[in-house]
Amino acid sequence: MSSIIEGALKPDLGSTMRKSKATKQYSQADTSPYELHRSLPNPLFAGAPTRQTRSRHLMQQPIPVEQPKTHKVRKAVITTLILLLVVAIGYGGWVGFKAVDNLEKVFGWKGLFSLFFPSHLNGEDSGRVNILIAGNSADDPGHDGANLTDSIMLVSIDTQKHTAYMLSVPRDLYVNIPGFGYAKINEAYPDGQSENFSQPGYTNGGMGLLEEVVSQKFGIPINYTALVNYGAVKDSVNAVGGITVTINSPDGELYDPSRDFATGGPLVDLTNGVHTLNGEQALDLARARGDPSQYGEPIGFEQSDFQRTADQRMILVALESKALTLGVVTNPIKMGELFDTLGSNVQTNLSLGNVRRLYTIMKKIPSADIQSESLNSASYNGQKDVDLLTSYYTPTGEDALIPAAGIEDYTQIDDFVQQLDNQ
């Protein structure tokens, strides 16, 4: 795939999200303690499933291993390896080694050979390919909640009109996770992982359960998934030599006083205008949401997590644009570092042949034509900046988000997504 997938964010479970501009809706819970995943205790949600453990699925009987291949097949494999060697020598032996070593980590040897056979993408016949990208900080396990997917994004590509949009899914969206009950959507991935989720039509594991939730709530098919860890942002930005972003805050700057422990300074301190960011700075911007801090008051983060997801989309577009420049593609050192990032930080059900086909499609879509969309400031029914979400208190008193039309009422959100598809 031509883009380097956005990294995930280090979660901060100790703080709650700022209140939305919309009116708070409170549950009619009594003073008894509730568990996070219990059904909502009021008549509107009678019959909603309580938090429960999904039954583990029986393992399928192992498929008998095929006998050794024929001489012709062995010859084809040897020929393929020779072609890989030729590519490696032609582009630089070191880069070739990096490519083979790291791409094998992501796609496996079978997927690696698919590089020579660009695959027709699922959804391409209908003219739209949807990819669900989620990020966690599993590579930074020194805190609680490392497996929560605090960054969730839908990337939708129109393969006929050559346009695309990115839509952030708020991590605090309060949903009914099938088999587990009500919780914030960022818990779907670890839930699925814990119970080895497996359902026909979905990816196995945690990404499959998250895929099921997003596809059902948003009324769209998910063709592919990708899970990245937050280190991918820092490493990939450094690999391409930095990215250029434009800050345009109504307050004249973005300032998050929380500490960057690597530098000792504020997490973000960027005035309006054009800035070139290194990997650490890009990661800090992708993480920042203006949480209360002992070091001062944040500026430009009134939208809290919505500002953060907007910054994430901006970083992803900037990274995609920089990665496709001639200075990166023809630089063996930068390409080798990009391959290192891919191998260490990405899990996906895309084959390498799929990625090659995506690359061909994405080359035809200028970065400026990739729309950045949010559910809290949607252009909907002829109006701008419509908030399709509202704040909600969970039975345990946590801040969460639900559709503005009401809990489990995704009519407006589904209409908005269809509107994006039809543009």
Side-chain angles (χ1 to χ4, degrees):
M1 184 175 181
S2 62
S3 307
I4 303 300
I5 302 175
E6 172 196 9
L9 311 175
K10 184 174 182 180
D12 183 1
L13 299 184
S15 63
T16 57
M17 200 191 75
R18 290 172 180 257
K19 296 181 179 180
S20 168
K21 294 180 180 179
T23 305
K24 287 275 184 181
Q25 295 187 6
Y26 296 88
S27 67
Q28 300 175 357
D30 57 25
T31 57
S32 301
Y34 288 87
E35 299 206 358
L36 175 60
H37 303 284
R38 293 185 183 276
S39 300
L40 300 176
N42 65 55
L44 291 176
F45 313 112
T50 58
R51 184 71 173 177
Q52 55 187 298
T53 301
R54 181 189 292 273
S55 299
R56 294 180 179 273
H57 300 279
L58 296 176
M59 298 296 291
Q60 296 180 350
Q61 293 298 320
I63 300 174
V65 179
E66 295 181 5
Q67 295 301 315
K69 302 297 183 181
T70 64
H71 174 72
K72 288 184 178 180
V73 174
R74 289 197 300 270
K75 183 177 179 180
V77 172
I78 293 173
T79 301
T80 302
L81 291 175
I82 291 174
L83 286 173
L84 281 174
L85 181 60
V86 170
V87 172
I89 293 174
Y91 189 60
W94 182 73
V95 175
F97 168 76
K98 287 281 188 179
V100 173
D101 181 50
N102 287 292
L103 293 178
E104 187 275 331
K105 293 178 184 177
V106 180
F107 304 106
W109 283 109
K110 182 178 179 181
L112 186 59
F113 291 140
S114 71
L115 173 64
F116 300 101
F117 308 98
S119 303
H120 194 72
L121 295 170
N122 294 335
E124 190 171 356
D125 288 338
S126 66
R128 184 165 297 278
V129 177
N130 296 318
I131 304 172
L132 180 65
I133 302 174
N136 64 18
S137 51
D139 60 332
D140 183 29
H143 57 80
D144 293 333
N147 285 317
L148 296 173
T149 52
D150 281 347
S151 178
I152 305 171
M153 187 180 301
L154 176 66
V155 178
S156 186
I157 304 165
D158 189 321
T159 60
Q160 297 175 351
K161 297 179 181 178
H162 299 117
T163 60
Y165 68 83
M166 298 180 298
L167 176 64
S168 293
V169 179
R171 66 172 192 164
D172 293 322
L173 188 63
Y174 201 62
V175 297
N176 185 3
I177 301 176
F180 293 90
Y182 280 89
K184 293 182 179 181
I185 195 170
N186 65 351
E187 294 194 33
Y189 170 77
D191 283 345
Q193 286 292 98
S194 68
E195 293 300 325
N196 298 317
F197 172 84
S198 178
Q199 289 289 337
Y202 298 107
T203 306
N204 289 334
M207 283 303 293
L209 184 55
L210 179 60
E211 176 188 354
E212 181 180 4
V213 173
V214 173
S215 63
Q216 289 183 357
K217 302 304 180 188
F218 287 68
I220 57 173
I222 303 296
N223 303 117
Y224 299 99
T225 64
L227 175 71
V228 300
N229 58 53
Y230 88 93
V233 174
K234 178 179 177 180
D235 294 344
S236 57
V237 169
N238 283 336
V240 300
I243 59 173
T244 300
V245 300
T246 301
I247 303 301
N248 186 23
S249 170
D251 297 321
E253 65 177 310
L254 290 179
Y255 177 71
D256 188 328
S258 300
R259 295 296 92 175
D260 176 343
F261 295 108
T263 65
L267 199 63
V268 173
D269 188 5
L270 299 171
T271 57
N272 279 1
V274 178
H275 296 269
T276 298
L277 308 181
N278 61 28
E280 186 69 33
Q281 292 171 317
L283 175 60
D284 286 346
L285 180 59
R287 293 169 51 195
R289 58 178 186 173
D291 290 329
S293 171
Q294 60 178 316
Y295 300 102
E297 291 294 323
I299 301 174
F301 285 94
E302 286 78 9
Q303 293 295 312
S304 188
D305 197 55
F306 294 117
Q307 179 66 48
R308 179 171 70 167
T309 55
D311 292 337
Q312 291 168 9
R313 297 191 299 272
M314 176 177 64
I315 290 170
L316 185 60
V317 171
L319 184 56
E320 188 261 355
S321 179
K322 184 63 176 289
L324 289 180
T325 61
L326 189 62
V328 172
V329 174
T330 60
N331 187 316
I333 294 178
K334 290 182 179 179
M335 287 302 295
E337 291 174 348
L338 279 173
F339 284 130
D340 276 341
T341 299
L342 180 65
S344 302
N345 297 299
V346 179
Q347 300 174 36
T348 181
N349 61 350
L350 285 158
S351 72
L352 196 52
N354 294 149
V355 174
R356 181 177 171 184
R357 177 60 182 155
L358 274 176
Y359 174 77
T360 301
I361 294 172
M362 292 301 294
K363 282 195 303 181
K364 301 177 182 179
I365 305 177
S367 297
D369 291 342
I370 301 176
Q371 296 176 251
S372 178
E373 302 291 344
S374 174
L375 295 177
N376 76 310
S377 59
S379 295
Y380 178 66
N381 280 348
Q383 301 181 37
K384 293 184 177 180
D385 298 325
V386 177
D387 195 345
L388 299 177
L389 301 168
T390 190
S391 296
Y392 180 79
Y393 275 146
T394 71
T396 55
E398 287 187 292
D399 276 330
L401 293 167
I402 61 172
I407 194 164
E408 294 299 328
D409 187 346
Y410 286 83
T411 305
Q412 292 180 332
I413 292 176
D414 291 351
D415 287 345
F416 173 59
V417 173
Q418 288 301 312
Q419 176 183 300
L420 293 175
D421 286 349
N422 294 330
Q423 288 181 351

